[in-house]
Amino acid sequence: MNTATDWTALRDDFPILRQQVHGKPLVYLDSANTGQKPQVVIDAVDAYYRDYCANVSRAVHALGERATAMYEGTRETLARFLNVHRDELVFTSGTTNAINLVAYSWLLPRLRAGDVVLVSRMEHHANLVPWQMMCERTGAQLLPVELTPQGEIDLDDLRAKLGPQVKLLAMTHVSNVLGTITPIREICSMARKHGVATLVDGSQAIPHMPVDIASIGCDFYVFTGHKVCGPTGTGALWAKREHLQSMPPFFGGGEMIREVSFERTSFNDPPHKFEAGTPNIAGFIGLGAAVDYLSGIGMAAIAEREQFLLREATARLRDVPGLRIFGAASHKAAVISFAIDGAHAHDLATLLDLDGVAVRSGQHCAHPLLQWLGVGATLRASLAFFNTLDEIDILVRALHKARQLLA
Ligand code: PMP
């Protein structure tokens, strides 16, 4: 474990963690749902509204220039963070928006009846429903790549399903339910050998480990800002330059144009071609501050800290009678889905809340995966670097108590 970082002291960076819930200290174990925001992010958003609120890329006055520099500064920051070129990063309102952009603008014009889109069985609905909608329009087929009993991608099944009929493989980097870290480089390389384009959903990866998009070898990589300590309504699509050049714009309006007449419009260069209208300026400025904050701690250190918490939490949860953990991948992020025999996940989550413990219960926007697991709902504890061993113990004690109440 990294010994240089004082992880407990870092908790002071997050004002929300100081509160009590139902008279108990808040134990926030729902970071896979949304990440908490450090003071520097809140301050960055506040400073924009307080000191230099102006629209971007339009005004030449001082406030407009400052807002534009800060907003575009986030693109630079993100590009460095992810090892890509800034012009290949399209700002979106999140992962869902980014995937829909690729679905409508890149896939739909290429998809024909008889084609196949592959996804894994453990995708979030955001990386499933848009592809299904495109398939329904065109007569193409959406097929799942199956999982091993441990909840890993069945690479033999993937190999068997890849072929010339496959137009896209859309795959998560980290499962939001099982925590599985997929061997994404190997998967993209397999797809490439068959000439199949790849989209990687990095929503649960970017906040928890170093991600070097250039080394993955995918065609598209998407993520959402609110899970990376950033504000809601932010996110990005990274795509290879040739794709961004070939894709028609999805939304039309201001900012995405070069010249407009009633006869025709010529479009701006990527990424601006895909960014019509006034964006979430404060949000992206906050996202830049969030990425600077995480970089300051170091993503490798964060990954190491969370792996330590994951090991401890998994071991301690196993002591709870009747508790089953879903997902036993050899590479896992700090997401633990579980059920307790005889107790409904929502009832358990409600009782945990009374002890100040925030976990998610339900189907986690992954119905096909839950069907495969054969459960109606799970509880999900998802950890962040600021969580502590004491908090894990509070969770375990609260589960013992809740189990007895519900038995
Ligand atoms: N994919 C994964 C793996 C996720 O965990 C989430 C958020 N739970 C999404 C996609 C969707 O992200 P958003 O709602 O921010 O667009």
Side-chain angles (χ1 to χ4, degrees):
M1 221 195 88
N2 182 295
T3 46
T5 311
D6 184 345
W7 298 101
T8 311
L10 282 181
R11 290 177 67 80
D12 291 342
D13 296 342
F14 294 80
I16 205 164
L17 299 179
R18 285 174 215 146
Q19 70 183 283
Q20 305 232 317
V21 170
H22 304 300
K24 307 276 171 54
L26 168 66
V27 175
Y28 189 75
L29 301 176
D30 200 17
S31 290
N33 208 356
T34 198
Q36 293 303 351
K37 321 303 172 204
Q39 187 66 49
V40 282
V41 170
I42 299 165
D43 288 346
V45 171
D46 182 78
Y48 165 73
Y49 284 123
R50 208 176 273 280
D51 300 334
Y52 59 100
C53 180
N55 213 327
V56 288
S57 319
R58 294 175 189 187
V60 294
H61 56 69
L63 299 190
E65 290 203 340
R66 186 168 167 204
T68 305
M70 291 297 289
Y71 175 79
E72 288 300 330
T74 292
R75 215 186 297 270
E76 294 282 355
T77 304
L78 272 176
R80 264 196 315 276
F81 187 61
L82 302 169
N83 191 25
V84 294
H85 194 279
R86 43 157 292 145
D87 293 344
E88 298 164 353
L89 270 178
V90 178
F91 283 168
T92 67
S93 64
T95 295
T96 305
N97 189 283
I99 293 177
N100 277 276
L101 171 58
V102 177
Y104 281 95
S105 186
W106 184 84
L107 184 64
L108 187 57
R110 289 167 173 75
L111 203 59
R112 303 279 173 273
D115 287 346
V116 167
V117 177
L118 286 179
V119 295
S120 86
R121 184 161 293 276
M122 61 181 166
E123 296 310 314
H124 186 282
H125 296 159
N127 198 24
L128 191 164
V129 178
W131 312 126
Q132 194 169 51
M133 287 161 66
M134 299 306 108
C135 288
E136 275 166 11
R137 279 184 179 217
T138 54
Q141 214 189 345
L142 181 71
L143 288 180
V145 178
E146 299 298 345
L147 305 177
T148 65
Q150 288 72 35
E152 295 175 323
I153 299 294
D154 182 337
L155 294 177
D156 291 332
D157 189 54
L158 171 60
R159 204 167 287 116
K161 284 176 177 154
L162 283 168
Q165 71 290 1
V166 181
K167 288 291 159 303
L168 178 74
L169 168 66
M171 177 85 65
T172 196
H173 197 166
V174 174
S175 160
N176 65 313
V177 182
L178 303 177
T180 307
I181 302 174
T182 58
I184 204 66
R185 237 183 265 188
E186 187 183 348
I187 288 168
C188 290
S189 150
M190 285 166 71
R192 237 182 2 261
K193 286 191 188 122
H194 290 269
V196 173
T198 44
L199 177 139
V200 180
D201 177 355
S203 308
Q204 299 289 351
I206 300 269
H208 305 292
M209 61 182 77
V211 173
D212 176 339
I213 295 179
S215 78
I216 290 174
C218 56
D219 291 86
F220 304 96
Y221 195 101
V222 297
F223 67 95
T224 204
H226 66 97
K227 297 189 205 279
V228 203
C229 294
T232 54
T234 63
L237 158 69
W238 170 84
K240 281 186 179 163
R241 200 175 294 247
E242 74 242 36
H243 294 322
L244 291 179
Q245 266 151 4
S246 78
M247 285 161 63
F250 183 40
F251 291 111
E255 291 312 320
M256 49 77 71
I257 52 84
R258 186 165 290 138
E259 248 185 75
V260 180
S261 71
F262 278 106
E263 287 69 43
R264 68 178 297 275
T265 292
S266 60
F267 301 120
N268 210 332
D269 291 328
H272 305 288
K273 179 169 93 170
F274 302 102
E275 296 178 1
T278 300
N280 181 359
I281 302 165
F284 282 100
I285 290 170
L287 181 59
V291 168
D292 281 340
Y293 174 78
L294 292 175
S295 302
I297 303 171
M299 292 312 296
I302 286 174
E304 202 183 334
R305 162 75 178 172
E306 292 182 1
Q307 286 297 313
F308 165 71
L309 293 173
L310 172 66
R311 279 193 301 277
E312 289 295 324
T314 305
R316 294 174 196 203
L317 282 169
R318 287 219 170 98
D319 288 343
V320 180
L323 187 144
R324 275 183 301 151
I325 294 179
F326 300 101
S330 52
H331 297 286
K332 260 190 85 166
V335 173
I336 311 173
S337 280
F338 57 95
I340 294 184
D341 291 340
H344 196 282
H346 289 314
D347 295 337
L348 283 166
T350 306
L351 289 172
L352 291 188
D353 179 54
L354 293 176
D355 276 330
V357 180
V359 293
R360 179 147 179 214
S361 58
Q363 305 205 341
H364 318 292
C365 300
H367 289 180
L369 175 60
L370 272 276
Q371 284 152 18
W372 181 80
L373 292 172
V375 283
T378 77
L379 279 165
R380 182 185 68 185
S382 52
L383 304 162
F385 59 85
F386 56 66
N387 288 125
T388 63
L389 293 179
D390 284 349
E391 289 184 312
I392 292 169
D393 286 338
I394 293 171
L395 165 71
V396 171
R397 275 200 302 276
L399 280 170
H400 276 291
K401 201 167 101 187
R403 210 189 125 257
Q404 273 157 10
L405 281 171
L406 293 171

